[in-house]
DNA sequence: ATATAATATTGTAACGAATACAATTGATAG
DNA sequence: CTATCAATTGTATTCGTTACAATATTATAT
């Protein structure tokens, strides 16, 4: 096992998740490709290398990861859940025409808000939607 | 038709939506009960008064409303879309234990962010999750 | 008022994402 | 090597949503 894989194994063990081959592969995928994939996208792409992989395994793995906080489940638009490994605070912008999701910088923790006294806030999400620069250019033509 | 209903009819006409009885009832429901209902909840509750109402009509109506910007589709958690009439800017907090969603004050437009140059931003959402004050109290017992 | 056209509504079928679960496979310890 | 436990698989099922043809309702013109 190379260095990268043993790091991934470590991440999992730290969170009380046994580092099986599939789980490691799935986490590796999420770490490498930060394009907020759906379960289906993870499944289709990993299936090439691991032909025995089942979609249920992907569902199991990502929900384990989400439960321990290793990855975040993004629900920017209805009926699709996407997964994001990145931990540093950022917002998500979804282009409504092309469907592309990109990260943007925003200091979510500096935002001041009111009306949630005595609540325990566990996660904060900022989602913008609109037309991305590329689509705007294409539309002009 | 009373004053309230003719106001609702007006809102719809202004947005080029013909004010049919069902559409008015559905919009009225969203205006009165600001608890971010799902299509199912709207359907079940209105069915009592309008027994002929079909779920397809609710889907049609809310998607018309969303398209013209009369109501907002909330996707705080995966696999459920909720609808919100309120137009003034606020955030949504979802209690993960009880599922209750409440609004909170946050000035979304004052937040400064970076990395979305040349994009046209059409909507901004702020979603927090955690444990609400009531659940926290209950857990202690 | 009546006929005609346009639109809204209904009910059902079909789809897709997600979950549940029993059966199988794989890993681990004695 | 065997027994035990956990991971994985494949399938069946559920549920929210969409699609669509049939029906009902509304508006318009005669």
């Amino acid at each position: 096992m190379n260095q990268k894989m043993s790091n991934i194994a470590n991440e999992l063990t730290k969170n009380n998740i046994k580092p099986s081959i599939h789980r490691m592969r799935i986490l590796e995928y999420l770490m490498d490709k930060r394009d907020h994939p759906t379960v289906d996208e993870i499944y289709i792409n990993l299936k090439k290398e691991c032909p025995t992989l089942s979609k249920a395994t992907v569902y199991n793995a990502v929900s384990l990861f989400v439960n321990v906080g290793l990855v975040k489940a993004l629900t920017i638009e209805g009926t699709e859940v996407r997964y994001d490994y990145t931990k540093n605070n950022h917002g998500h912008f979804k282009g409504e025409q092309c469907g592309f999701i990109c990260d943007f910088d925003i200091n979510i923790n500096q935002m001041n808000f009111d009306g949630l006294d005595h609540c325990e806030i566990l996660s904060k999400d900022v989602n913008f939607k609109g037309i991305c620069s590329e689509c705007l250019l294409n539309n002009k033509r």
Side-chain angles (χ1 to χ4, degrees), chain A:
Chain A
M1 189 150 57
N2 62 26
Q3 182 64 36
K4 182 186 183 189
M5 275 303 159
S6 71
N7 282 343
I8 290 174
N10 249 324
E11 277 284 288
L12 291 173
T13 315
K14 247 195 301 185
N15 288 284
N16 297 315
I17 297 173
K18 286 204 182 164
S20 76
I21 294 151
H22 284 165
R23 288 174 181 165
M24 288 169 61
R25 274 290 176 78
I26 293 165
L27 184 55
E28 184 194 19
Y29 184 89
L30 284 163
M31 287 170 149
D32 286 352
K33 293 203 57 182
R34 307 278 180 101
D35 62 347
H36 323 91
T38 60
V39 161
D40 224 64
E41 285 164 10
I42 301 171
Y43 171 70
I44 288 171
N45 283 299
L46 283 182
K47 186 86 178 173
K48 295 169 194 162
E49 310 158 32
C50 325
T52 81
L53 183 69
S54 144
K55 209 184 273 191
T57 303
V58 183
Y59 275 106
N60 287 336
V62 294
S63 89
L64 282 174
F65 300 166
V66 169
N67 283 341
V68 299
L70 258 177
V71 315
K72 223 166 140 57
L74 305 181
T75 54
I76 301 170
E77 202 123 61
T79 64
E80 66 170 19
V81 182
R82 296 179 167 276
Y83 295 91
D84 191 14
Y85 173 72
T86 316
K87 279 148 165 186
N88 68 327
N89 233 336
H90 62 261
H92 290 104
F93 174 86
K94 171 150 186 173
E96 286 176 333
Q97 265 184 41
C98 56
F100 183 72
I101 294 168
C102 68
D103 299 348
F104 65 87
D105 289 329
I106 185 166
N107 192 339
I108 295 176
N109 291 317
Q110 98 185 348
M111 302 185 301
N112 44 353
F113 54 90
D114 202 24
L116 293 179
D117 301 336
H118 312 298
C119 293
E120 187 182 348
I121 294 164
L122 296 172
S123 78
K124 298 178 176 181
D125 288 299
V126 176
N127 300 322
F128 288 5
K129 277 177 239 173
I131 319 286
C132 77
S133 48
E134 247 180 277
C135 285
L136 280 176
L137 272 175
N138 289 337
N139 292 349
K140 275 185 195 158
R141 291 187 200 132

